[in-house]
Amino acid sequence: MDAVTLDPDAIAARVGELDEAGARARLDQLVPEINHHNELYHRHDAAVIDDRTYDLLYRELESIEARFPQLVRDDSPTRRVGGPAVEGLAEFPHRVPMLSLANAFSDDELREFDARCRRFLGAAAPEHIAYVVEPKLDGLAAELVYADGRLTGAGTRGDGQVGEDIVHNVRTMRSVPTRLHGDDVPSWVSVRGEILFFLAGFEKMNADRVARGEKAFENPRNAAAGAVRQLDPKLAAERPLQFIAHSHGLAEGTAASPSHTEWLARFRAWGLPTNDLNRRVEGIEEVIVAIADLRHRRDDLPYEIDGAVVKVDDVELQEQLGFVTRSPRWAVAYKYPPPQVTTLLEKVTFQVGRTGAITPVANLRPVRVGGVTVSRATLHNEDQVRLLDLREGDHVVVERAGDVIPRVVRAVPDEEHASRPEVVFPSSCPVCGGEIHRDPDEAVMRCTNRLSCPAQLVAGLRHFASRGAMDVEGLGQKLVDQLVDRGLVKHVSDLYRLTRSQLLTLERMGGKSADNLLAALEISKGRPLERCITALGIPTVGEATARDLARHFLTLDALMAASDADLLGVHGIGEVVAHEIAAFFRDPAHRAEIDALRSLGVAFTPLDAPAAAASVVEAIAGKTFVITGTLPTLERAEAEARIQAAGGKTSGSVSKKTHYVVAGEKAGSKLAKAQELGVPVIDEATLLSMLG
Ligand code: IVH
């Protein structure tokens, strides 16, 4: 770089003078150059220019792109900070299905895997099959697609055939090259690998979140899954996600590689990150040694692994071995047992859940288990505590298995154990002091105070507002705590009685947030029946059962009137669940709450049973709809045409006779009018589900 280029003013002047052709030519130099420096810095830890020089090159790039936005290249490093948000995740079909792996849990199961391969190959089996042993990365499987060497697509695994399109986020990941290098780059190639957080990045991100008053992520895997599915790539760009390539999908316009090892070497040469710990070995006994070796290094690795993957190296043998249903015969995943550590059980406290269940919780001296710091673990119930004979002051073995909440496995015997007092279980609810009931057949103890118990009310409200239920945006934990503490909400239905002036009395609640919350509540009144059923929080009824119930009964009234026998007729519902549901709706307190919700405008909107055209007729036919604001995907005329085609009417103004207002972005006076008249307001997603 010459001295002139390094002066910010000179750069600005030069950029100002560029015409479009000049700008294009300069971008063709700058983009590869900055990408090259990025790669040296981030992947090889070997920068060759100082930060200031880099910053100035970057600034020049930004200013050219600002002047000529039409020239922004797909592989521009500025795309790493995230382009525009997408409205939803599109489908991402895999040209070759993404398979899963069969598991092995012991050395003998590995030997069986090897024996199976040899049996299948018969005379073609070599004396010792060559295998590649790789760390099984505990992240999220993803596929990257490069066409003519440029990153053009990225998707999650999904069901193996079709995943979700996440390319907007993958472009922000610095370990993913936007262009492949080399002269053997295929004209089209799909590369599979794992998206994950390295532990250092994960912990720093969590510390930053906690410092900002946000909730820490439970574990790196879930955090990675959440980050890559964000709609706004700026959010993904802020998170230090990594990609490691581990298998090939399909390659066109290039010679196929004869071995997995060679594919990995080519990935690396093209600029894709691969794992340095992958090892090629001969014969299954060497595999067993390599896996044991990897296991010893597990705690020192900068990322989480949950086992090792063993793959037949020779691609021709792979092809001969082929597949069984959804996994290849030529590979197996060896799963390590979940990591365990010993720590001090400092205290046992009690937590009250949504259904009043009182769960003992172990408060532990913070300890790292499998790369994550754990300070609490569930003890399930009284029987479990007695069975393990746990006492405060004991040392205990704690285990963390994948996504599962950490659990206490056993106490470590010591001499003082017998002299420590046994855990005392509460005789009344630790939150509200209410009476506790323990069913003789059940291990669980419950507070009988239901919604009069603040813990149950808070948990119930959180559930009601959660994404799979009424999806009330902005109604987070802190707000719910305040609403309950201040006595503004005593029942779920009270949410719909909240006024703007009440909300304004809350901490950190300005006029705009209050309006947003009221609008979100208004929108939630139109949620489809299945979500409303989930929201009611009937014990044993999760999202899947709620959907089955909605599809079967179509309306809330029909569901409420159902007997145990009717409920048993629903696909997938057994006696216990049928009994819970019928008992829930028989309870006068629940019926009163449902009446209150209805009178406040919650529509329990009959839905989307594609199998039951009747529900569409019921939801739309004869009803009057008013559309206001900009809908996310439908043009207004198209939405109106579809409503009319389903037998509904549309109108331009809201009156008492309006059945639904469909509100989109920037909805104005019509939305206000609907709220004033108590007309249910729905969003486009609900309309679409009503339309079936
Ligand atoms: S190969 C057909 N290699 O494990 C073979 N998978 O249980 C496809 N995984 O969904 C996978 N590390 O996301 C392979 N080194 C590795 C892996 C790995 C983690 C994941 C992968 C897959 C799951 C299979």
Side-chain angles (χ1 to χ4, degrees):
M1 274 307 116
D2 56 322
V4 181
T5 325
L6 283 178
D7 175 343
D9 295 333
I11 290 175
R14 255 184 38 185
V15 171
E17 282 164 16
L18 287 174
D19 61 7
E20 187 162 334
R24 183 175 287 120
R26 182 66 186 137
L27 287 178
D28 286 346
Q29 293 170 331
L30 269 178
V31 168
E33 181 172 357
I34 298 178
N35 280 339
H36 174 66
H37 290 306
N38 272 340
E39 194 177 320
L40 288 176
Y41 181 81
H42 288 289
R43 303 256 320 281
H44 304 290
D45 216 4
V48 293
I49 54 172
D50 59 69
D51 286 357
R52 180 182 152 82
T53 312
Y54 177 86
D55 290 344
L56 290 173
L57 288 175
Y58 199 91
R59 185 186 296 187
E60 182 180 356
L61 173 69
E62 281 180 323
S63 31
I64 299 177
E65 289 184 345
R67 266 198 69 204
F68 300 98
Q70 71 280 17
L71 299 184
V72 177
R73 293 167 42 135
D74 267 0
D75 58 343
S76 169
T78 57
R79 305 272 305 242
R80 301 278 194 199
V81 294
V86 297
E87 287 196 339
L89 297 180
E91 290 192 344
F92 185 91
H94 301 290
R95 283 176 66 186
V96 173
M98 280 181 84
L99 303 169
S100 54
L101 295 173
N103 291 325
F105 293 99
S106 65
D107 293 351
D108 280 344
E109 288 185 20
L110 287 171
R111 292 187 181 105
E112 274 167 34
F113 159 73
D114 179 61
R116 254 195 326 271
C117 288
R118 322 180 133 275
R119 264 201 311 279
F120 202 87
L121 292 170
E127 193 188 341
H128 293 298
I129 298 180
Y131 292 106
V132 180
V133 176
E134 304 179 357
K136 186 169 182 315
L137 305 162
D138 197 8
L140 189 83
E143 173 173 280
L144 311 185
V145 170
Y146 289 87
D148 296 323
R150 282 171 183 254
L151 177 70
T152 53
T156 60
R157 176 168 178 268
D159 63 3
Q161 306 281 345
V162 181
E164 287 174 318
D165 189 338
I166 51 167
V167 72
H168 56 294
N169 292 328
V170 169
R171 279 191 200 289
T172 70
M173 292 168 52
R174 288 173 200 278
S175 53
V176 174
T178 46
R179 251 171 188 264
L180 301 181
H181 317 292
D183 40 24
D184 66 337
V185 170
S187 55
W188 196 97
V189 65
S190 52
V191 176
R192 277 93 190 254
E194 217 68 7
I195 293 181
L196 70 166
F197 279 114
F198 279 23
L199 292 166
F202 174 73
E203 302 230 322
K204 176 164 184 320
M205 177 176 75
N206 258 353
D208 291 347
R209 286 176 70 84
V210 172
R212 286 198 301 266
E214 294 167 24
K215 205 168 160 240
F217 292 114
E218 268 224 343
N219 62 49
R221 197 191 169 284
N222 287 359
V228 297
R229 299 186 65 262
Q230 293 287 346
L231 299 182
D232 184 352
K234 294 195 178 58
L235 296 174
E238 285 168 8
R239 309 205 178 146
L241 287 167
Q242 305 272 350
F243 175 79
I244 296 181
H246 58 51
S247 36
H248 74 282
L250 185 69
E252 286 172 344
T254 187
S257 300
S259 67
H260 178 61
T261 318
E262 191 180 303
W263 275 119
L264 292 174
R266 287 176 78 186
F267 293 164
R268 214 165 24 252
W270 294 339
L272 287 159
T274 56
N275 201 320
D276 293 341
L277 296 177
N278 296 343
R279 261 177 69 188
R280 184 179 186 279
V281 296
E282 309 262 340
I284 200 68
E285 293 309 319
E286 286 191 15
V287 166
I288 291 169
V289 173
I291 290 182
D293 193 40
L294 201 55
R295 185 170 168 187
H296 286 125
R297 307 172 68 161
R298 183 179 185 187
D299 284 342
D300 301 324
L301 296 179
Y303 43 75
E304 296 210 299
I305 66 172
D306 56 352
V309 180
V310 182
K311 301 171 182 174
V312 171
D313 191 33
D314 187 318
V315 170
E316 211 175 288
L317 293 185
Q318 287 184 0
E319 278 162 12
Q320 286 179 40
L321 285 162
F323 303 89
V324 257
T325 43
R326 292 178 53 216
S327 37
R329 278 201 196 85
W330 46 265
V332 72
Y334 180 93
K335 293 283 188 74
Y336 294 133
Q340 293 189 340
V341 290
T342 301
T343 189
L344 178 71
L345 172 58
E346 290 180 336
K347 205 169 167 43
V348 175
T349 53
F350 298 89
Q351 192 171 297
V352 184
R354 176 162 61 82
T355 58
I358 298 174
T359 315
V361 176
N363 293 253
L364 305 164
R365 175 182 290 164
V367 63
R368 283 174 74 83
V369 198
V372 170
T373 306
V374 166
S375 54
R376 282 157 66 85
T378 171
L379 294 170
H380 300 291
N381 53 46
E382 184 173 359
D383 292 355
Q384 179 79 0
V385 176
R386 302 273 176 246
L387 187 74
L388 299 178
D389 189 19
L390 299 175
R391 302 182 188 189
E392 290 176 357
D394 283 350
H395 274 82
V396 290
V397 175
V398 179
E399 174 177 290
R400 214 189 115 237
D403 288 347
V404 185
I405 309 165
R407 66 184 196 103
V408 172
V409 183
R410 61 187 168 84
V412 181
D414 67 20
E415 280 173 11
E416 283 106 90
H417 171 81
S419 62
R420 295 185 186 117
E422 287 184 17
V423 173
V424 180
F425 278 75
S427 51
S428 58
C429 172
V431 175
C432 71
E435 204 176 300
I436 287 181
H437 173 75
R438 183 169 166 172
D439 193 318
D441 304 334
E442 258 196 333
V444 189
M445 40 203 293
R446 287 180 202 279
C447 164
T448 53
N449 250 352
R450 299 210 289 199
L451 293 186
S452 317
C453 169
Q456 290 178 66
L457 178 57
V458 165
L461 289 167
R462 291 281 290 148
H463 172 78
F464 185 82
S466 66
R467 224 183 237 173
M470 301 306 257
D471 195 8
V472 184
E473 218 184 300
L475 195 58
Q477 181 73 49
K478 291 208 168 114
L479 191 52
V480 168
D481 285 344
Q482 282 196 71
L483 292 171
V484 171
D485 283 353
R486 302 272 186 102
L488 291 175
V489 172
K490 295 198 165 69
H491 296 94
V492 172
S493 55
D494 292 338
L495 287 173
Y496 296 106
R497 294 194 172 91
L498 289 169
T499 62
R500 191 171 192 274
S501 52
Q502 282 175 333
L503 290 176
L504 288 176
T505 65
L506 302 175
E507 277 163 37
R508 288 208 252 150
M509 177 69 73
K512 188 147 189 276
S513 312
D515 290 340
N516 286 344
L517 181 63
L518 289 173
L521 281 163
E522 204 52 48
I523 298 258
S524 75
K525 290 180 184 172
R527 295 275 176 242
L529 181 59
E530 59 188 49
R531 305 264 215 106
C532 300
I533 297 173
T534 304
L536 291 176
I538 306 167
T540 73
V541 175
E543 284 178 43
T545 308
R547 194 174 318 122
D548 292 340
L549 290 169
R551 296 220 164 127
H552 187 94
F553 291 104
L554 303 178
T555 67
L556 182 67
D557 289 319
L559 170 61
M560 288 176 73
S563 63
D564 281 39
D566 297 333
L567 288 160
L568 278 170
V570 180
H571 159 83
I573 287 189
E575 265 173 43
V576 174
V577 179
H579 180 74
E580 285 284 359
I581 299 169
F584 181 91
F585 287 118
R586 268 198 304 273
D587 185 327
H590 293 146
R591 296 186 85 93
E593 185 60 9
I594 289 169
D595 283 347
L597 286 168
R598 282 180 145 169
S599 70
L600 289 159
V602 177
F604 292 89
T605 316
L607 79 157
D608 112 282
S615 72
V616 176
V617 174
E618 194 174 331
I620 306 252
K623 306 259 163 71
T624 304
F625 291 73
V626 173
I627 299 173
T628 174
T630 314
L631 302 182
T633 66
L634 292 178
E635 293 288 331
R636 183 175 302 200
E638 191 188 345
E640 288 182 347
R642 290 185 60 177
I643 291 168
Q644 287 158 12
K649 286 179 262 179
T650 55
S651 158
S653 59
V654 181
S655 73
K656 274 196 190 141
K657 292 198 181 127
T658 310
H659 290 93
Y660 296 102
V661 168
V662 187
E665 196 137 293
K666 301 214 180 83
S669 61
K670 287 180 200 165
L671 176 61
K673 185 84 189 275
Q675 289 164 353
E676 191 188 311
L677 296 175
V679 174
V681 179
I682 61 175
D683 59 4
E684 184 193 85
T686 307
L687 173 67
L688 288 174
S689 72
M690 289 161 80
L691 285 163

